[in-house]
Amino acid sequence: MDFLTRGYNAFLSDKGQPQSADETIDKLADCVQHATLLEDRRAGVLSLKGLARDWTEKVGDRSLNGLIKVLHEDYKDTDITKAVLETINILCTVSEKSKASGYALRFTDQFIQDAKNVTILLDILEEFDFYVRFNTVKLLVTLLFNRSDRIQECILTSPIGITRLIELLDDKREIVRNEGLLLMISLTETNADIQKIVAFGNTFERLLAIIEEEEGISGGIIVQDSLSLTHNLLRYNVSNQNYFRETSCIQQIPGLLGYVGDSNAEHVPYSYEDWPTQKVSNTILVLQLIRILTEPAGINTAVNQKVMAQSGILLPVIQLALCSNAPPRVRTEALYAIGYLVCANETNQTAFIRTMVANQPDFTTPNNDGSIPANVPRPALVSLISIAAASDTQNHYALSSRAAAAFAATCCIDDNHENQLVLAGTLQKVPEDNANSKFTDKPHSAGSLLLEAIENGHTNENDPYSAWFACVILSHILNGNEKAKEIAGRVTFGEEAEGEEPVPLLHQVMAALMLSSKESPAASRAPMGYLCLLCTWLFESSSSVKQFLSEGIHVQFLIEEMQKTNVDPVTQGLAAFLLGIAFEYDDDNDSAFSRETLRDILLNRVGADQFKNRLSRLRDSAAFINVSKTMYISAEEDEAFNLNGSLPMLVLDYHFVELFKESYDSIQRAITRSPKAAKTKNFGANNHSSGGSEIQSYKEIISKQDNEIKNLKAQLAQLQGQVQVLTTEKQAAEDEKREVEDKYLREQARFATLEKEQEDLLVCMGEQDMDIKKYKDRLRSLGQDITDNEEEEEEEEE
């Protein structure tokens, strides 16, 4: 009770009357700063802690330096240390009251000005006392929140500071461990150096052990925090991803998601699970972890994709995405994860395409005998296209999920000519005897689903994206593959046997475009989808351009769209781009429109300036600038669409935007060039009156230029070889540098461990020396003759 008496006496004046707050704080601050007895300092600190909440600024101004002094000198005393930590935390915590004058940040700056103040906090973490450890971590979190850069700096200067923070994850007291997790999450958000040191301190193994202990994705908020810290350590950090893979942590990801059913079965079964809110959050974080490790075009992406596929990650992800009762948010993330796993990886693309998945059992329409209809499995890619093109009406997927399905479907096609050709081959009715087609799912195939959506998707007022998604997927099937374009060019609509005239698919797309353009521009994304598809189809394909120009109404419609005043600038820009492509690649002599004729039409009815203006407005539009690489639709956009029909900002496909950027300059200048003039110039040269001598001089000039070109090409090839050698050497040096850095970090972590062990041994030796001295003193008090060293003992024995 002595310290309570001292604290009470501090509030009294010399005459025993209560003092004002200012006088009390001054007296307590002086006591903390100058008192010689530990009990007095402890009483002063406890009293200041009680006043700090109501008189925060005054307590901080007058006593913070004293509190820091006590923290350094008396940190071995747990009671006073706990009180000091709590008081400083109160002073530095930003609150509504502190925002006006900013004293919380001022006190924070005053505390962290000297790095030794942060170092002492890290040293205090050695103390096992619950309250000391807990309040130390809380204060570090507060300081980090206020001044993250400076705290990170101070922590990096401490040789074993990060090691002590990592050890918090091993604390058996959950509250301390959980606060340590939050501290580590904040600490590793941006600093790559700290991320590396933390990762090489066996943090991944610790985090996975915590997740397993908390029952995986079915666990609580601690699982979420552990996964968030894992994200921080791996995102944009190549060396940490290497370490994560090399320590076999990737192989544990499938176990986190779980898989319902037999992994050796012929198809992925449908899964029914309970989905509490926390499980949803945890599952999404695991799926996002997969995406972090397989970021398209990443250095580690290919090898990470391979290891994940070998560990069996595809099956649980496919089950979550295509055949489970998972909530829309989980399903969307799983669909994106599929796209990332198969992107630019033929092995994973093939594995996915060969996977069969179950449909959701239809309980609403039983058979005549009351039984549930048979659940016929279908290829996973057909399910993706069915979701994107809204043919899978039973599950009612959200727009965000359908966009993710479309993205995943395009990832299965990109950089894979074989898949492009196979899918192009399904753009017609599947024969009844075609039982070997790996994309067949009678009565629908992947191609038939796309054709149905392209032909009729624009007619559904409640679904503005059905045709758009189908057009995007088909454009990826045709992109850069002339054989696929030829196959698609032979697809026709209409039954000749019933007297209908066959209509080529290309013309059918154009007809659908003309019909969809009659609707309100804000009601559908179909016109943009059709135009982007046509641009991709005609690009660098003279045979497709010839088929397109065989109907004059096509050119007439596009010109009218460019001339209208009430048409969206994006649509007008796409129409101009399509006409520019048609003119640029109109190389067939049998084309319905010669280049000269088409150029005259463009110049007379549109004009060069107007043509360029339409292209420029498309390039400068928000839809073009803010295009999403993954066709992302946010939850807010989903909700707005469901409430009032407001369309998301998803207007253009990223690959189309890249195509536009690459060909913008050439298409823009196309109509300013005159092929006819060039031919006339050549004809005049051949028939020049001065005849042979001038022709001979031209030939000599051409021959000389040819030789110069050959020499330049040889020099260029030599330089390219040198560049290749230098690039290889540079890459090898970078790999060696990265390996040395990783080795340095491992050695640094090992050194920190050895240094800690050395400190522990020194402490033990010090304790032993004190024990020996105590026993000697006791023996002397009992009258025993005790020597001070072993040499004297040996001399006495002799």
Side-chain angles (χ1 to χ4, degrees), residues 44-325:
V45 171
L46 289 169
S47 299
L48 285 172
K49 188 183 83 169
L51 293 169
R53 297 193 183 278
D54 296 325
W55 307 90
T56 313
E57 187 170 9
K58 291 182 178 180
V59 171
D61 286 334
R62 300 173 190 180
S63 67
L64 182 55
N65 288 330
L67 292 171
I68 294 173
K69 179 182 177 183
V70 169
L71 187 65
H72 282 271
E73 295 179 353
D74 300 325
Y75 71 93
K76 292 294 184 182
D77 185 273
T78 57
D79 291 331
I80 196 170
T81 301
K82 170 180 171 293
V84 170
L85 293 170
E86 289 179 344
T87 307
I88 297 177
N89 192 38
I90 293 171
L91 299 179
C92 296
T93 299
V94 176
S95 61
E96 291 298 326
K97 185 174 67 172
S98 70
K99 286 181 180 178
S101 59
Y103 59 77
L105 296 178
R106 178 158 51 85
F107 295 149
T108 299
D109 293 334
Q110 183 179 344
F111 184 85
I112 64 177
Q113 185 176 5
D114 188 350
K116 292 180 181 178
N117 296 335
V118 178
T119 303
I120 192 65
L121 294 179
L122 299 173
D123 291 338
I124 292 172
L125 284 176
E126 280 191 302
E127 175 61 49
F128 192 70
D129 181 81
F130 168 78
Y131 292 103
V132 172
R133 266 200 160 194
F134 178 71
N135 285 292
T136 303
V137 175
K138 285 191 67 176
L139 177 55
L140 284 169
V141 170
T142 300
L143 297 174
L144 188 63
F145 177 80
N146 293 347
R147 293 288 187 259
S148 60
D149 292 342
R150 175 59 180 163
I151 291 297
Q152 291 171 355
E153 227 177 89
C154 296
I155 291 175
L156 282 172
T157 59
S158 175
I160 58 173
I162 293 180
T163 302
R164 286 175 178 158
L165 294 178
I166 295 173
E167 289 172 353
L168 292 171
L169 302 179
D170 296 328
D171 201 306
K172 299 303 181 183
R173 295 162 297 190
E174 291 188 3
I175 297 179
V176 176
R177 182 195 65 187
N178 299 348
E179 286 293 326
L181 263 176
L182 295 176
L183 173 60
M184 297 293 289
I185 291 171
S186 301
L187 190 64
T188 57
E189 281 182 349
T190 57
N191 194 303
D193 293 329
I194 291 179
Q195 290 171 358
K196 288 182 180 180
I197 298 172
V198 170
F200 284 96
N202 296 328
T203 304
F204 292 129
E205 292 85 344
R206 287 180 165 97
L207 293 174
L208 290 170
I210 292 173
I211 294 172
E212 183 179 358
E213 182 183 335
E214 296 288 329
E215 300 181 357
I217 58 174
S218 299
I221 189 70
I222 304 307
V223 174
Q224 181 177 335
D225 291 339
S226 299
L227 290 168
S228 297
L229 178 54
T230 306
H231 283 199
N232 287 355
L233 297 176
L234 293 175
R235 189 181 286 111
Y236 313 126
N237 199 312
V238 175
S239 61
N240 284 3
Q241 291 186 15
N242 288 334
Y243 183 76
F244 188 79
R245 182 180 64 251
E246 290 167 0
T247 53
S248 301
C249 292
I250 286 181
Q251 285 82 340
Q252 299 186 49
I253 296 178
L256 298 179
L257 291 176
Y259 178 73
V260 179
D262 183 5
S263 59
N264 296 319
E266 294 182 356
H267 68 273
V268 179
Y270 198 89
S271 168
Y272 290 95
E273 298 181 59
D274 293 329
W275 288 97
T277 304
Q278 190 59 59
K279 182 178 179 180
V280 171
S281 301
N282 295 342
T283 305
I284 289 174
L285 286 171
V286 175
L287 294 169
Q288 289 174 346
L289 176 60
I290 295 172
R291 293 175 62 183
I292 289 172
L293 293 168
T294 54
E295 186 72 28
I299 297 176
N300 286 324
T301 296
V303 63
N304 287 345
Q305 287 175 328
K306 179 180 179 181
V307 175
M308 285 187 175
Q310 291 173 345
S311 65
I313 194 67
L314 271 174
L315 288 181
V317 175
I318 290 173
Q319 187 173 60
L320 286 172
L322 302 178
C323 40
S324 76
N325 64 331

Side-chain angles (χ1 to χ4, degrees), residues 413-424:
I413 302 165
D414 292 340
D415 302 316
N416 194 319
H417 280 217
E418 181 183 351
N419 286 353
Q420 285 179 309
L421 292 175
V422 173
L423 282 169

Side-chain angles (χ1 to χ4, degrees), residues 512-578:
L513 169 62
M514 291 187 281
L515 288 174
S516 65
S517 297
K518 294 180 181 179
E519 304 170 0
S520 172
S524 176
R525 294 287 189 236
M528 289 82 160
Y530 291 130
L531 285 166
C532 291
L533 169 60
L534 290 168
C535 290
T536 305
W537 195 335
L538 301 190
F539 189 76
E540 295 183 339
S541 178
S542 58
S543 60
S544 301
V545 171
K546 176 184 176 182
Q547 188 180 44
F548 176 78
L549 295 176
S550 64
E551 290 287 344
I553 193 174
H554 296 168
V555 176
Q556 175 70 21
F557 169 78
L558 294 175
I559 290 175
E560 289 177 356
E561 286 295 293
M562 294 173 62
Q563 292 174 334
K564 290 179 181 178
T565 58
N566 62 340
V567 176
D568 186 279
V570 174
T571 302
Q572 290 184 320
L574 291 172
F577 189 55
L578 180 56

Side-chain angles (χ1 to χ4, degrees), residues 557-717:
F557 169 78
L558 294 175
I559 290 175
E560 289 177 356
E561 286 295 293
M562 294 173 62
Q563 292 174 334
K564 290 179 181 178
T565 58
N566 62 340
V567 176
D568 186 279
V570 174
T571 302
Q572 290 184 320
L574 291 172
F577 189 55
L578 180 56
L579 278 174
I581 290 174
F583 173 74
E584 181 73 2
Y585 298 105
D586 184 16
D587 298 331
D588 198 304
N589 294 329
D590 297 330
S591 176
F593 289 84
S594 65
R595 288 171 61 87
E596 293 81 2
T597 303
L598 193 56
R599 177 177 178 273
D600 291 340
I601 292 174
L602 287 171
L603 291 177
N604 294 332
R605 298 196 56 184
V606 179
D609 292 339
Q610 187 76 335
F611 178 79
K612 293 178 181 179
N613 178 55
R614 298 304 186 200
L615 293 176
S616 298
R617 291 189 68 183
L618 170 59
R619 184 189 59 182
D620 298 335
S621 66
F624 187 93
I625 295 172
N626 300 322
V627 64
S628 169
K629 291 185 178 181
T630 59
M631 306 185 203
Y632 176 72
I633 294 178
S634 66
E636 293 76 13
E637 289 176 317
D638 249 343
E639 185 177 355
F641 175 73
N642 293 331
L643 289 176
N644 52 36
S646 177
L647 293 182
M649 279 300 297
L650 185 60
V651 178
L652 300 174
D653 175 40
Y654 177 77
H655 285 75
F656 169 79
V657 169
E658 290 298 302
L659 172 67
F660 183 91
K661 290 178 181 178
E662 291 172 3
S663 55
Y664 171 77
D665 290 333
S666 61
I667 297 299
Q668 188 185 47
R669 293 193 300 265
I671 63 172
T672 61
R673 298 195 299 268
S674 174
K676 184 177 181 181
K679 290 180 181 179
T680 302
K681 181 178 178 181
N682 292 336
F683 179 79
N686 290 332
N687 293 277
H688 200 277
S689 58
S690 56
S693 60
E694 189 168 351
I695 292 174
Q696 184 62 32
S697 64
Y698 284 154
K699 287 182 178 179
E700 291 175 357
I701 293 172
I702 292 172
S703 176
K704 182 178 179 182
Q705 290 176 340
D706 284 342
N707 291 332
E708 291 177 354
I709 290 172
K710 289 178 181 178
N711 292 333
L712 290 173
K713 285 183 176 179
Q715 294 176 17
L716 177 62

